[in-house]
Each structure stands twice: as C-alpha cells, then as structure tokens.
Amino acid sequence: MAETSPVTKNRMFRYYYDLTVILVAKEIKLRYKNTFLGFFWSLLNPLILALIFHIAFKRIMRIDIENYTLFLLSGLFPWQWLSTTVSTSPTIFIDNASLLKKVKFPRWILPLSSVGNNLFHFIFTIPVYMAFLLIEGKSPNWLWLPILPLLIIIQFIFISGISFFTASLNVFFRDLLYITHMAMTILFYLTPIIYSEAMIPKDYQLAMYANPISPLIISWRDLLLNNIVRPQYILMSLGYACLIFAIGFALYKRLEWKFAETL
Amino acid sequence: MNSKSVITLDKVSKSYRLLTNLSSGLKDFVLHMPSRIKQLNAKRFIALENISFEVYNGEAFGIIGRNGSGKSTILKLIAEVLKPSSGRITVSGTVSPLLELGAGFHPDLTGAENIVLNGALLGLTKKEIKEQFESIVEFSELENFIDQPLRTYSSGMQVRLGFSVAVHINPQILLVDEVLAVGDDAFQKKCIQKMNEFRQNGVSMVFVSHDMSQMKRMCNRVALLQEGKITAIGEPEKVVERYLEMLEVGSTLP
C-alpha cells in the first residue's frame, strides 16, 4: 500500500461513513417500501408487544415482580436488537456473494451496516418504553443522558463482534447458521431477561457472569427500570464487548480474502 | 504514449482449493478430520501459472483464450477482488471494473436510489455522487424513468444505468469483460465513443472478449491465454491469428 496523505485519508473516512449510511438507508427503505404505514411499523411492533405484555401480566397472569411489564421490556428490547442482528448475521456475506466476487469495497461495512440497521429499529422502542414508564407513574432521571448512549455504543461493539465472527465463519461452515439460531434460543433463557439476576441461586451466580450478555442486560435494566448505574456491570459488559469484537474482527481479517473464491 | 506501467503482474499464480469436502458440512468434517484436511491440501486447481505482463499508461490491453483459460481470473486479480497465491501485482490508480454492471442494484429501489448505491459501492462519496448525478442520468438516457423502481426497467435499460455509473467514477484503469455487446446500436456507439474518449485521456484498459474483430480494432497489444499460461503476447493481428489456428486444430481433433 502506498502512503496516504491526510487529504486522501480524510476522504477515506468520509467514504466509509457515507457507504455505511447508504447501506443502512437502503435496508430501511426496502423494508417499508410499498407499505401504507412505512416507518410507523418500527414504532408499532414494539408497541403491540408491550401492550400484549401489559394485558397478559397485569390482568391475566400475575407475576410476583413489581411492574413486570416494564421489567420485561427493559431487558427484552435490548435483547431483541441483539438477537435479530445475530440470527441474520451468518448470511451477511453469503447474501452479498455476487458483490463480493465482482467489486472491491470494504467488506467490513456489511456487518456494521446490519448492526446499524437493527439499531435504528431499537431506537424506536425507547419512546414506546418511556410511554409505558410514564403510565406506571415513573420517569427517567438525568443518568439516562450519558448512560443510554454509552450502553448503545457498548452493545454496538458487542453485536458487531459476534456478527463478524458468524458472518465470516459461516462462509466456510454453513452449519453455523443453525448453531447460531439454537444458541440464541438457549442464551435467551440463560440471560436474566424474564427473571432478575437476584433470583438466580447463589451457586449459579458465577455461571451467570460467564454469559457475556448478562452484564449488559443487567445494566440496561438498572438504567431503564431503576434509574441507577452499577459501574462494575458496565465495565464488565464493556470488557466482554471489546474481547468479542477483537476475536470476531481478527477472524474476519484472517478469512476475508478467501470470501470471493469460496462463495 | 509514454511507457509508464500502471499494471504490473510479476510471476503471478493462482490456485484454488477444491471445496467439495467442506460443503458437506461441519459434522462430516469433524468426524473425518485428519483425512479431510489432507484432501483439502492435496486437491488444488491451478487457474493461473506464472503470469507476467505489464500494461502501460493509456494502453488498451486485450486478453483472449478459450472458456476457462483464466481470463476472468486475471481481471479479478487486477480488480483486487482475488488475491494471488504467489507473485506480485502492482496497480496504480482507480480501477473501474466493468465486470459486473450495476453491482448491488436492487429491483425495488428507484433508478436514482440505485445510482447512489452503485456509486458508493464503486468507491464514490455521497458528495461525488451528487456532483456526477445529472451527468450519469443524462448519459444513460433514462431521465423519464429515473424515479421508477428498477424492476420496471428492461434489461437493456438496467445495463445502460450500470454502465453509466461505472464510467462516471473517473477511472484511471478500466476493466472490460464482454460488456460492449449490450444495449441497442445507438447506445453501443455511445459506449465505444466513451471508450475512445477515455483512451485519449490516458486511461488504460484491459479487455476480455471473444469478439476478435473488436479486439483487433481496440487493442494495442493482446495476450493469448491457454490453460492458465500466456502462450503469446504482442501484436493483436498475430496473436488473434494464432488463437484462431489453435481453435481450428482443436476442433479437428476427435
């Protein structure tokens, strides 16, 4: 590679940014093209889910956790961002095979734009959650301002790492798609989403920390439901996110040049 | 024409592992791990062997050969989509691969949206696409359809749009794989005119085509590829003649 001057370097970053935005915008446009409600669906989906929980857990099945609807949603919305991205991530490169074989462009933008696309839908769940928060007579505090973006960044790094890993490996081992789907189902129950971390028996506490998603979901619930921050959980989730990103990206870098000839 | 080379291939070889074993899945691979790994390394297909040539500034370089002789592999190596197994490739300047027109085109997006998408994938920033947009639309002659979804276009119209974007990224090197045979006569003429304009501006081109008269007309030099090796290189007339002789000999065999 020739040395790049500051001007061309600037242009490069500009280009990466533009390409990511264009690819994310494309997915969002395609999703709602030819629908009457358009972007409103991004708001409607979480809203309906929240309403159903509200009816089910408030009126029909009474659960011994205070504000169970809010409790559930505060873990479930972030989880959904993760699970929808991860379950589609194995086919990111396969779906773009013709592109990878014919055009030279930064391939790492594909997994990132998929995470960004799902982040867009996650953002819409926040007003829905806040509406239910207000209905229950609660309100966000000032901690939301710095911590909400921080958690989004941590989770973005986290999901990107997994996506790089699964997208790259699945080009060579297609079984990974099914393994991923199964793993996500199991992980859902191993992560304190439908139950709280306090409900886990003492003997299993350690096992919970071994699940890299737990500290992140706990941090989300701390903030969204209880308006608190526990730095140890934030640090733990940041640590896991960086570790997983490093592993995922390293694997991607190792396999990247073989995509075009394998697909 | 000055003789500064813009593309240099130095003893380039490309071989592939044959992936028959891997596609049978993880279970099979794990169960028969040692023998499978041995098979993986043993079964290699040599697509290109010891290829060396240079393309000079402003030159039109042609590659001919039968199907499967490795022509497209060379283009993909120059486009940096593939990596050589050994040897070195040096490419200086922006490459516009006319290998696949309309990379990333999506049928449900409008022509205008597809221009942005395709332009970005070919290396343009948003601002650069905006600057070129009018000119891209004008060249494609699709002004009246540009806000319609691409699926309503005929295949000829789609190719016109793709070609139009590809020639507007200001390439220094153009890779052309049989695409000139598209569109109606009028648009083909326009393409050839655009090619000539590029050449006058010092853009280098690498052509792959089965149209021998076109090769003779457009190229300064031609290389003949046979089973991954270059067997002749030089004057278009002579190399094409040799290729045609080769084909005749081949066809008289039982």
Side-chain angles (χ1 to χ4, degrees):
Chain A
M1 280 284 136
E3 273 191 42
T4 42
S5 70
V7 180
T8 54
K9 219 173 191 167
N10 257 339
R11 189 199 167 274
M12 220 169 65
F13 284 123
R14 183 83 232 163
Y15 171 63
Y16 292 155
Y17 176 78
D18 284 355
L19 181 56
T20 313
V21 170
I22 288 170
L23 287 176
V24 171
K26 169 200 156 197
E27 288 303 322
I28 293 167
K29 265 186 216 156
L30 281 176
R31 186 149 166 165
Y32 296 125
K33 229 161 203 178
N34 308 320
T35 60
F36 284 114
L37 293 177
F39 290 116
F40 196 62
W41 275 112
S42 284
L43 206 59
L44 213 56
N45 279 328
L47 190 68
I48 302 264
L49 190 70
L51 266 177
I52 287 172
F53 286 161
H54 188 73
I55 295 165
F57 295 120
K58 199 109 197 177
R59 311 255 172 259
I60 303 167
M61 195 172 112
R62 313 228 169 158
I63 288 191
D64 205 16
I65 293 180
E66 202 192 343
N67 288 322
Y68 190 65
T69 306
L70 286 177
F71 176 90
L72 194 57
L73 293 179
S74 62
L76 194 64
F77 283 153
W79 167 264
Q80 280 183 329
W81 175 19
L82 184 134
S83 72
T84 43
T85 319
V86 171
S87 41
T88 52
S89 66
T91 54
I92 289 174
F93 291 131
I94 296 172
D95 291 343
N96 288 289
S98 70
L99 213 52
L100 296 179
K101 279 154 92 169
K102 302 268 170 91
V103 191
K104 179 204 168 203
F105 70 100
R107 282 90 194 269
W108 49 264
I109 284 184
L110 290 177
L112 285 193
S113 62
S114 153
V115 183
N117 172 27
N118 287 299
L119 164 63
F120 177 85
H121 300 294
F122 171 66
I123 300 268
F124 277 94
T125 66
I126 293 171
V128 171
Y129 180 83
M130 280 170 80
F132 277 80
L133 203 64
L134 295 173
I135 290 174
E136 296 287 342
K138 296 171 148 237
S139 58
N141 69 353
W142 62 272
L143 270 174
W144 284 45
L145 223 55
I147 303 301
L148 191 84
L150 177 68
L151 287 179
I152 288 180
I153 292 170
I154 294 175
Q155 184 157 344
F156 196 101
I157 300 171
F158 191 99
I159 307 177
S160 303
I162 304 178
S163 298
F164 274 119
F165 188 90
T166 52
S168 307
L169 204 56
N170 194 51
V171 173
F172 305 94
F173 294 107
R174 304 278 168 115
D175 301 54
L176 196 71
L177 178 66
Y178 306 103
I179 297 174
T180 307
H181 285 167
M182 203 193 297
M184 291 317 287
T185 312
I186 297 169
L187 267 178
F188 176 76
Y189 293 101
L190 290 182
T191 309
I193 298 166
I194 50 174
Y195 52 89
S196 82
E197 76 271 17
M199 288 160 75
I200 301 170
K202 273 246 150 25
D203 300 349
Y204 295 100
Q205 290 276 340
L206 208 66
M208 185 202 68
Y209 293 126
N211 172 1
I213 306 170
S214 297
L216 189 62
I217 297 294
I218 292 171
S219 300
W220 275 115
R221 181 162 292 146
D222 277 353
L223 181 75
L224 297 181
L225 188 66
N226 302 322
N227 286 340
I228 59 163
V229 170
R230 285 181 284 177
Q232 72 268 30
Y233 286 116
I234 301 245
L235 284 176
M236 229 191 289
S237 42
L238 181 64
Y240 270 130
C242 292
L243 181 72
I244 285 173
F245 187 87
I247 295 172
F249 197 70
L251 184 81
Y252 159 78
K253 269 286 163 202
R254 239 188 98 94
L255 298 177
E256 180 200 6
W257 66 275
K258 285 186 188 165
F259 292 165
E261 55 191 68
T262 307
L263 283 168
Chain B
M1 189 194 302
N2 73 40
S3 55
K4 197 176 139 269
S5 75
V6 286
I7 304 171
T8 312
L9 276 79
D10 183 21
K11 300 197 183 77
V12 169
S13 297
K14 179 73 193 169
S15 62
Y16 296 101
R17 280 176 174 176
L18 292 177
L19 288 157
T20 43
N21 303 307
L22 273 184
S23 54
S24 57
L26 193 59
K27 190 187 107 197
D28 180 70
F29 188 75
V30 172
L31 286 178
H32 309 98
M33 187 92 90
S35 66
R36 286 289 180 264
I37 287 177
K38 218 180 274 168
Q39 279 178 356
L40 269 183
N41 289 325
K43 278 193 183 171
R44 286 189 149 263
F45 167 73
I46 296 166
L48 290 175
E49 204 179 341
N50 212 8
I51 302 285
S52 298
F53 65 82
E54 283 176 304
V55 178
Y56 302 107
N57 203 1
E59 185 183 31
F61 188 86
I63 303 172
I64 55 177
R66 302 185 56 177
N67 289 332
S69 58
K71 303 183 297 286
S72 298
T73 307
I74 292 187
L75 289 192
K76 284 180 182 173
L77 285 168
I78 297 172
E80 292 178 78
V81 174
L82 293 178
K83 242 170 91 169
S85 312
S86 68
R88 275 177 62 91
I89 299 176
T90 331
V91 178
S92 49
T94 328
V95 177
S96 177
L98 300 187
L99 304 176
E100 179 170 90
L101 293 173
F105 270 6
H106 196 288
D108 285 337
L109 295 175
T110 66
E113 287 166 337
N114 273 306
I115 289 178
V116 175
L117 186 62
N118 186 230
L121 286 168
L122 289 180
L124 295 186
T125 64
K126 257 187 184 168
K127 190 167 151 258
E128 289 162 345
I129 298 168
K130 254 189 208 137
E131 286 163 3
Q132 299 282 355
F133 188 82
E134 300 258 319
S135 155
I136 292 173
V137 177
E138 197 191 300
F139 187 87
S140 69
E141 298 169 15
L142 291 166
E143 289 92 342
N144 297 328
F145 307 95
I146 210 66
D147 290 319
Q148 298 299 315
L150 198 77
R151 66 186 136 79
T152 62
Y153 287 29
S154 71
S155 56
M157 286 157 82
Q158 293 188 17
V159 173
R160 254 150 67 191
L161 191 66
F163 186 87
S164 192
V165 180
V167 295
H168 279 86
I169 69 167
N170 286 330
Q172 275 113 50
I173 298 163
L174 214 56
L175 306 178
V176 189
D177 192 353
E178 299 274 11
V179 283
L180 287 181
V182 292
D184 53 23
D185 281 353
F187 192 73
Q188 266 193 46
K189 253 185 210 144
K190 208 166 155 184
C191 294
I192 300 207
Q193 201 185 332
K194 189 79 190 173
M195 295 279 173
N196 288 331
E197 192 186 308
F198 272 135
R199 280 183 70 180
Q200 276 157 20
N201 297 333
V203 175
S204 311
M205 294 179 206
V206 181
F207 281 101
V208 164
S209 176
H210 288 288
D211 181 345
M212 290 305 135
S213 66
Q214 197 180 58
M215 290 305 251
K216 281 193 264 189
R217 211 169 49 239
M218 304 279 295
C219 298
N220 301 98
R221 278 190 305 151
V222 169
L224 173 59
L225 213 54
Q226 265 174 291
E227 288 168 11
K229 287 178 217 146
I230 289 183
T231 52
I233 188 165
E235 282 276 308
E237 293 281 343
K238 283 182 193 159
V239 179
V240 167
E241 200 176 310
R242 181 145 168 209
Y243 174 59
L244 295 175
E245 274 169 23
M246 182 192 104
L247 286 184
E248 244 162 64
V249 173
S251 64
T252 54
L253 288 176

